[in-house]
């Protein structure tokens, strides 16, 4: 039976996940804050497998649901409609965008633990948070391809992580289980695995601005599972939150 990916948030990451899902033969139900009519163009581009709905409808329709909104909106996610579901959380904490969140600033919780607390009836898995939207789309490969990349995932529920791993596999990625949500800081901003490895080798000696420009211009370079394991293992916990 055709599976359905629900998406709450249909911006850079949500839109590309919907594209990958449709390519993989899944249905995609997209939603945002402004209403289904504002997603008409994106849905038309993705084609027959996509439709737009409200966040609660996308939650109900999804066999798995991805929540991919700015973290400041986490407490507006429809907890009742998401109850009982495996929910993939792609969100990262950027205080300049999201405002300061005291529990995150104190490293008392990870951002995904905050999301799990709000979505108490859901099984939250953090994934797709440590690759840019462009590289996510460009680096997807079929299972077994020699240049297939891996992505880290974290969660408290083993069965939900297995489901998330199946989704990653369908969409074009191997999965590396990095533990539970309390350890998901290992794939957050300012850690070795976060986004930059997928930009490939960049010349040494570049200034910060040029480095970022080259990184964002890069079409992406594959990062296999064993490299993800090394990078995650090298993470050291620092202050939470990235700089925009
Ligand atoms: N961009 C990346 O490369 C990247 C990479 C990894 C992780 N992330 C993380 O993934 C999340 C999404 O990033 P993005 O770049 O895709 O963001 P984005 O392009 O700004 O899109 C955000 C989406 O969330 C929707 N949204 C906002 N508030 C909502 C609400 N209350 N209910 C339903 N939908 C809502 C927006 O809809 P409206 O436009 O209608 O408000 C929009 O569709 C962020 O937490 C980000 O830090 C991003």
């Amino acid at each position: 039976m055709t599976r359905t990916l629900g998406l709450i948030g249909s911006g850079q990451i949500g839109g590309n996940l919907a594209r990958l899902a449709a390519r993989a033969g899944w249905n995609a139900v997209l939603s945002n804050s402004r209403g289904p009519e504002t997603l008409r163009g994106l849905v038309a581009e993705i084609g027959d497998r996509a439709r737009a709905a409200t966040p609660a409808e996308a939650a109900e329709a999804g066999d798995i649901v991805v929540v991919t909104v700015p973290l400041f909106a986490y407490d507006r996610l429809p907890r009742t409609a998401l109850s009982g579901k495996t929910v993939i959380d792609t969100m990262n904490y950027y205080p300049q965008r999201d405002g300061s969140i005291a529990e995150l600033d104190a490293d008392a919780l990870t951002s995904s633990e905050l999301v799990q607390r709000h979505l108490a009836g859901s099984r939250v898995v953090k994934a797709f948070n440590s690759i840019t939207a462009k590289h996510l789309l460009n680096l997807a490969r079929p299972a077994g391809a020699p240049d297939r990349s891996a992505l880290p995932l974290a969660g408290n529920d083993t069965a939900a992580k297995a489901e998330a791993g199946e989704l990653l596999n369908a969409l074009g990625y191997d999965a590396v289980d990095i533990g539970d949500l309390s350890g998901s800081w290992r794939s957050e901003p300012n850690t070795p695995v976060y986004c930059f490895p997928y930009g490939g080798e960049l010349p040494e000696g570049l200034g910060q601005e040029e480095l970022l420009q080259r990184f964002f211009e890069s079409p992406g370079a594959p990062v296999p599972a064993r490299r993800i394991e090394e990078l995650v293992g090298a993470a050291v916990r620092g202050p939470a939150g990235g700089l925009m």
Side-chain angles (χ1 to χ4, degrees):
M1 204 173 83
T2 305
R3 307 205 73 204
T4 298
L5 186 66
L7 292 138
I8 302 182
S10 301
Q12 295 184 67
I13 290 283
N16 281 352
L17 286 173
R19 290 180 176 97
L20 291 175
R23 280 185 206 168
W26 285 49
N27 294 323
V29 180
L30 296 95
S31 69
N32 64 5
S33 76
R34 287 166 297 143
E37 63 287 352
T38 65
L39 291 166
R40 209 176 287 152
L42 178 59
V43 162
E45 181 222 302
I46 295 172
D48 290 346
R49 293 200 182 275
R51 69 179 172 92
T54 65
E57 287 165 350
E60 278 153 16
D63 293 305
I64 298 189
V65 184
V66 180
V67 294
T68 182
V69 303
L71 188 63
F72 65 72
Y74 86 91
D75 58 357
R76 278 166 256 163
L77 294 170
R79 66 196 306 177
T80 304
L82 288 169
S83 188
K85 303 263 174 176
T86 291
V87 173
I88 313 286
D89 167 22
T90 80
M91 295 183 272
N92 292 305
Y93 177 41
Y94 279 93
Q96 286 165 296
R97 178 193 64 194
D98 299 319
S100 289
I101 302 175
E103 287 167 301
L104 302 188
D105 293 337
D107 278 345
L109 289 179
T110 61
S111 65
S112 288
E113 286 182 297
L114 198 65
V115 173
Q116 176 68 82
R117 191 172 67 187
H118 174 64
L119 301 178
S122 308
R123 298 174 298 273
V124 172
V125 179
K126 190 175 192 87
F128 301 118
N129 68 299
S130 58
I131 186 167
T132 65
K134 173 182 169 181
H135 296 156
L136 175 68
L137 193 65
N138 284 358
L139 292 173
R141 297 287 184 280
D147 59 347
R148 201 179 212 217
S149 290
L151 293 169
L153 58 77
N156 297 344
D157 185 287
T158 306
K161 282 199 279 195
E163 262 186 87
E166 284 167 24
L167 175 69
L168 262 67
N169 187 40
L171 267 47
Y173 288 87
D174 294 331
V176 173
D177 183 348
I178 67 165
D180 63 19
L181 294 179
S182 68
S184 61
W185 60 267
R186 291 179 179 280
S187 71
E188 286 180 356
N190 305 322
T191 62
V193 82
Y194 188 72
C195 294
F196 286 97
Y198 301 96
E201 289 285 326
L202 297 173
E204 293 196 7
L206 298 179
Q208 180 77 354
E209 202 173 313
E210 203 183 345
L211 198 69
L212 283 176
Q213 190 186 339
R214 296 281 193 100
F215 168 71
F216 285 113
E217 281 171 4
S218 162
V223 185
R226 62 179 181 283
R227 182 67 185 139
I228 297 296
E229 285 164 8
E230 286 167 8
L231 291 165
V232 166
V236 175
R237 196 167 196 177
L243 284 174
M244 299 298 282

